[in-house]
Amino acid sequence: MRNSKTVLFDNNPGRNAQTVGIARELGTDIDLIHEPSVGVIGNKGDSQCYLGVQRKVEAIHDCLLGKIGSGSDQMRLRLVQPEYTVATSDGMRNGTKEMRYSLIGREVTHDTICEHLSASGLEGTIAVVACDKPPVGTLSALLEHDRPAIIMSDGPIRPGMDSVTHEPLDIVSGFQVAGSHDEELKKRIACEACPGYGSCGGMFTYNTMQTFIGVVGMEPLDMVSPASDDPRRMTEFPEKLVTYLNAMIEADLSPRKIVNRDSIRNAMIVALAVGGSTNVVLHAPEIARAAGFADFYKDIMSPEEFNHLSQHVVPVLVDARPFGNYSMVDIDAKGGIQVIVKELLDAGLLNGDTMTCTGETLAEQIARLNPPAPDGTVIYSVDKPYKPTGGLRLLGGNLSPEFSAVLKLAGVEGGLEDNVFIGKARVFNSEMDLLDTLENNPDVFQNHDMIMMRYEGPSGAPGMPEMLDSTSRITTLCREKGIIVGLMTDSRFSGGSVGLVIGHVGPEAALGGPIAFVEDGDEITADLNINELNCTALNDPATLKARKAAWDKVVADNGGTHPAIGKADTRLLNRMRRSAVSAVYGAGMHPDRELWVPNPRDPEMTGFVPSNKYREGSGKAF
C-alpha cells in the first residue's frame, strides 16, 4: 500500500490546517491525517436514476467511519468526505438538442473523478453508480487511477403498472405511445410508467453495463440486480463493500489487476447472452482503453470473433425488456445475473480464473454464491435458450468501412428475410427533421424504407445523441401499418430501442464518411450472412468520386464544415467536436484524436478499403 506521508507535508501548517479541520468535522482521529486516504463517490443527476444514490453513499461513508481508527482491528486510514459527479437524464432529454450531452456525461464523470482521485490521492475508493454513462466514466477513471476500488450499482427501478390493461410498464412504454393521438393514454402511461426510483429497469444500457461491470470483476455479482429500494443496499451491502475494499488495500489488488483481456472478454460474452444494449460496443472500448488496451478490436476481440460468437456460440438467455417481457427485478427474483454467469461458466464459454473485487476468481465467487438453475421462464439455459443466437452484430461494408456499425439483432421485429434487408434510402440530415416528419407527416414512409440519419455522430452532433424517441416512433409506425422501416445512423441508440436499427456507422458523415454520400432512393442492403451494409450506388467508383467532389464543395463553401452539423455553442460541445474519437474507439474525448481516428480511405477518395480487410483479427472462436 502506498503511503502519501512526506516530511514536507507533515511540517507545513498551511497544508495541515484543513486536513485537521476535516478530520475534526468528520469525527476521525487527527493522528491519521497523514495516512493513506479512503472515501466514497457517487453519481448524481436530474432523473429518478440518481434519487437513491446519496443515501447509499452516506450509508457506506458511515460504515467506513465506524471501521477507521488506530485500533488493532481497525483500518488505519484517513477518511475523506463523499464526492459526487453530475450527468443529465437520457429519458427526459431524448428527442431534444440537450440529448447531445448524454454521452458527454460519461466524459464529464470521468474527468470529475479523475480530478478527485488524483488530487486527493485516494488509496481506496467505493463508488455508487447510476444511469448508464456515469458508471462507465467512473470505472474508466478508477482504472486510470489504479488504486484499490470497488463499485456498487445503485440498482434498477421497479416496473410500473398500467391501471387499465394491468400490463407492466417502463420508460420505453412511454416513448412507444408518443405518436398516439390518444391524449388520455399518453398521460396515463407517463404517470404510471416509472414509480419509485432507480435506473431503467429493462435490459437497456444501464443493466447491460452493470452486468458488464460485475462480470469484468469490479462489482460483486450479487449487488447488480437488486432494485434500488432493496433494503440490502442500505443494511447488508455497505459493510460487505468496506470489508472487500479493506482486503483489496491489504492485498494491493487494484483495478488493472482485475480488468484485463480475459475479464473484458467474459463481460462482452455475457453482454451478448443478455441481449444487451448496442451501447456496450461504445463503452467496452473506452473501458479497455482505460485498462491499458488502446484498440479493443485488436487487443481484446476482433469484429470477426465478436460476430462468430454472436452467430454461432452465445445464445440469448433472458426474456427481458425491451425485446422480451421481464425486468431486472424479475431476473433478481430468479437468482440474479449470477445464474446467467454460472450457466455460461458451466457451458465452458467464460474464463473462470479471472480475479474479482471480492478477492475471489469469477468461478470462486459463483461457487460461493451458489445460484439456482435457470427457471426457464425469465432465465433460460444454454441448451434451451430464449433465442439461439447472441444479441448483437457488428457490420462492415461500403457504408461502414470502420466495421463499426452495430445491430441489436435481439430487438429486430422483422425485415430480415434470409438474414437480408433490401430497401430504399430516405435521407435526413438531423434527428429534429426526422422527428418532425414522424410527428406531422408519417405517411411518407413506405414499406422497406431505410432512413439514413446522419450528421449526428460524435463530432457532427456533437455528442452522438441516442435516438429512443425516433426509434420508438418508427417501431409504433411499423406495428400499426404492418410495414418494415429501418433506421441507419452515425449516431447511437438507447438500450430500449427495438426494430431494424443500425447505429455507429463510421466514419461519420461530418468527417466525410460514406453515409454522407447516400442520396434518396439509393438501394441499401443489410446482409447479415456476410455482416455488411452496402449502398449499391457507392460501388461505382465514378459515382462515389462525383458525390465526394460535390460534398467537398459544400464543405469548402461553408468554411470547412458541412452546414448540417450541429452548433457547438458551449465550451463542452466544442471540446467534444474537436476531440471526439470514432465509435470503434468508444466515441470519447481524446486530445490526440488524430492517433485514434482511423483513415480507411485512399488519398484520392476513389474507393474504400474492403470491410473484411480493414481490421486484422483472428476470426477464431472463443
Side-chain angles (χ1 to χ4, degrees):
M1 181 171 66
R2 294 186 304 191
N3 194 320
S4 59
K5 182 176 179 179
T6 66
V7 173
L8 178 63
F9 187 73
D10 285 349
N11 293 328
N12 191 306
R15 286 194 289 266
N16 285 351
Q18 286 192 325
T19 314
V20 170
I22 291 170
R24 185 167 50 236
E25 293 303 314
L26 292 181
T28 57
D29 191 338
I30 293 175
D31 291 339
L32 299 178
I33 64 170
H34 300 303
E35 297 297 331
S37 55
V38 66
V40 191
I41 57 177
N43 298 153
K44 294 294 289 293
D46 62 342
S47 74
Q48 287 170 292
C49 304
Y50 305 102
L51 288 178
V53 170
Q54 185 169 339
R55 66 196 73 179
K56 277 92 167 182
V57 167
E58 292 172 350
I60 296 167
H61 177 84
D62 289 344
C63 190
L64 274 171
L65 182 62
K67 298 287 185 180
I68 284 174
S70 301
S72 58
D73 60 344
Q74 292 181 299
M75 301 166 64
R76 190 173 178 83
L77 298 166
R78 178 174 79 90
L79 182 64
V80 302
Q81 60 187 328
E83 292 288 351
Y84 296 93
T85 66
V86 176
T88 191
S89 162
D90 290 357
M92 288 189 285
R93 305 294 177 251
N94 251 285
T96 74
K97 285 292 186 181
E98 287 73 31
M99 191 62 199
R100 296 177 296 169
Y101 289 94
S102 171
L103 184 60
I104 292 174
R106 184 188 74 182
E107 308 301 292
V108 172
T109 296
H110 186 155
D111 289 349
T112 303
I113 294 176
C114 179
E115 194 276 343
H116 177 57
L117 298 178
S118 299
S120 301
L122 261 69
E123 282 295 310
T125 307
I126 299 174
V128 182
V129 297
C131 203
D132 52 332
K133 314 307 181 301
V136 179
T138 299
L139 176 54
S140 298
L142 293 174
L143 282 163
E144 288 184 347
H145 187 61
D146 200 31
R147 302 308 305 150
I150 190 168
I151 290 173
M152 181 183 77
S153 56
D154 175 65
I157 194 171
R158 297 183 186 275
M161 182 68 69
D162 189 320
S163 59
V164 174
T165 67
H166 305 294
E167 295 178 349
L169 299 171
D170 56 33
I171 191 168
V172 173
S173 308
F175 277 98
Q176 290 184 347
V177 299
S180 171
H181 298 293
D182 186 339
E183 297 303 318
E184 286 301 317
L185 170 67
K186 290 193 286 188
K187 181 178 180 180
R188 185 176 81 246
I189 299 302
C191 292
E192 297 176 352
C194 295
Y197 56 88
S199 295
C200 289
M203 193 53 72
F204 313 150
T205 307
Y206 169 74
N207 283 312
T208 300
M209 294 316 302
Q210 300 324 301
T211 299
F212 190 103
I213 292 169
V215 176
V216 86
M218 286 297 293
E219 176 172 9
L221 291 171
D222 57 324
M223 298 186 188
V224 174
S225 57
S228 180
D229 63 6
D230 190 302
R232 288 175 291 176
R233 293 196 178 277
M234 293 291 293
T235 58
E236 177 184 333
F237 292 169
E239 185 165 354
K240 284 187 175 181
L241 289 165
V242 172
T243 300
Y244 290 144
L245 180 66
N246 188 38
M248 293 175 77
I249 294 171
E250 293 300 321
D252 194 27
L253 179 58
S254 64
R256 285 196 176 194
K257 294 176 182 177
I258 294 171
V259 181
N260 55 35
R261 179 179 181 273
D262 289 336
S263 65
I264 297 172
R265 286 168 61 85
N266 281 345
M268 186 58 81
I269 288 168
V270 176
L272 292 173
V274 298
S277 166
T278 54
N279 282 307
V280 73
V281 299
L282 278 183
H283 296 326
E286 171 59 13
I287 291 168
R289 182 207 60 77
F293 302 96
D295 188 330
F296 179 90
Y297 294 108
K298 286 183 179 179
D299 299 331
I300 307 294
M301 181 182 290
S302 71
E304 294 85 356
E305 184 180 7
F306 182 99
N307 285 336
H308 176 84
L309 289 168
S310 187
Q311 287 177 264
H312 305 295
V313 181
V314 184
V316 175
L317 301 183
V318 291
D319 176 6
R321 293 274 289 159
F323 54 85
N325 298 293
Y326 297 101
S327 297
M328 197 61 155
V329 293
D330 300 308
I331 293 173
D332 186 62
K334 300 301 181 181
I337 65 157
Q338 51 266 42
V339 176
I340 300 165
V341 175
K342 183 178 189 300
E343 185 68 13
L344 293 169
L345 273 172
D346 290 347
L349 297 178
L350 302 178
N351 182 341
D353 295 330
T354 56
M355 183 55 65
T356 74
C357 60
T358 66
E360 305 158 302
T361 65
L362 181 65
E364 289 169 343
Q365 189 181 165
I366 288 294
R368 173 176 57 81
L369 293 174
N370 191 27
D375 67 295
T377 300
V378 178
I379 305 174
Y380 289 70
S381 66
V382 170
D383 291 338
K384 296 180 180 179
Y386 180 66
K387 293 191 175 187
T389 59
L392 300 173
R393 192 74 59 84
L394 294 173
L395 306 172
N398 70 11
L399 285 173
S400 180
E402 289 185 354
F403 219 126
S404 59
V406 60
L407 168 68
K408 186 173 183 176
L409 191 58
V412 174
E413 298 185 345
L416 290 172
E417 302 299 330
D418 298 321
N419 289 321
V420 177
F421 170 90
I422 301 175
K424 289 186 176 181
R426 187 173 291 273
V427 177
F428 291 85
N429 284 343
S430 76
E431 188 190 17
M432 294 301 108
D433 287 345
L434 173 59
L435 286 170
D436 180 70
T437 304
L438 286 166
E439 175 72 22
N440 298 308
N441 195 19
D443 291 337
V444 303
F445 296 103
Q446 303 297 314
N447 192 31
H448 278 74
D449 277 350
M450 175 60 81
I451 296 169
M452 308 298 288
M453 165 56 57
R454 59 196 186 190
Y455 299 104
E456 297 283 8
S459 294
M464 204 181 190
E466 69 183 30
M467 299 188 172
L468 181 58
D469 198 355
S470 296
T471 59
S472 297
R473 289 173 186 267
I474 293 168
T475 296
T476 301
L477 178 72
C478 290
R479 289 173 180 173
E480 288 178 347
K481 291 192 170 186
I483 62 175
I484 301 297
V485 175
L487 171 61
M488 189 182 303
T489 180
D490 52 11
S491 193
R492 62 189 181 87
F493 301 120
S494 163
S497 294
V498 294
L500 185 60
V501 293
I502 300 167
H504 311 182
V505 174
E508 61 176 294
L511 300 182
I515 192 173
F517 310 137
V518 177
E519 296 183 356
D520 277 322
D522 281 351
E523 182 181 80
I524 306 296
T525 301
D527 189 337
L528 271 66
N529 296 305
I530 58 174
N531 294 319
E532 288 194 357
L533 303 174
N534 288 297
C535 174
T536 302
L538 299 186
N539 285 330
D540 175 40
T543 299
L544 177 61
K545 187 173 183 178
R547 292 187 182 184
K548 162 61 166 59
W551 186 86
D552 280 345
K553 185 178 186 306
V554 170
V555 170
D557 291 346
N558 194 55
T561 61
H562 196 280
I565 66 172
K567 291 183 179 180
D569 49 7
T570 66
R571 190 173 81 161
L572 194 53
L573 291 175
N574 184 59
R575 180 184 167 203
M576 184 70 177
R577 168 155 293 158
R578 293 177 177 274
S579 64
V581 296
S582 166
V584 292
Y585 295 115
M589 297 180 182
H590 296 284
D592 55 346
R593 180 169 75 167
E594 295 307 315
L595 300 178
W596 291 75
V597 177
N599 180 17
R601 296 164 290 190
D602 64 29
E604 301 300 321
M605 192 60 181
T606 56
F608 289 85
V609 176
S611 62
N612 62 344
K613 294 182 180 178
Y614 178 63
R615 291 221 167 256
E616 297 179 0
S618 64
K620 64 183 180 180
F622 180 76

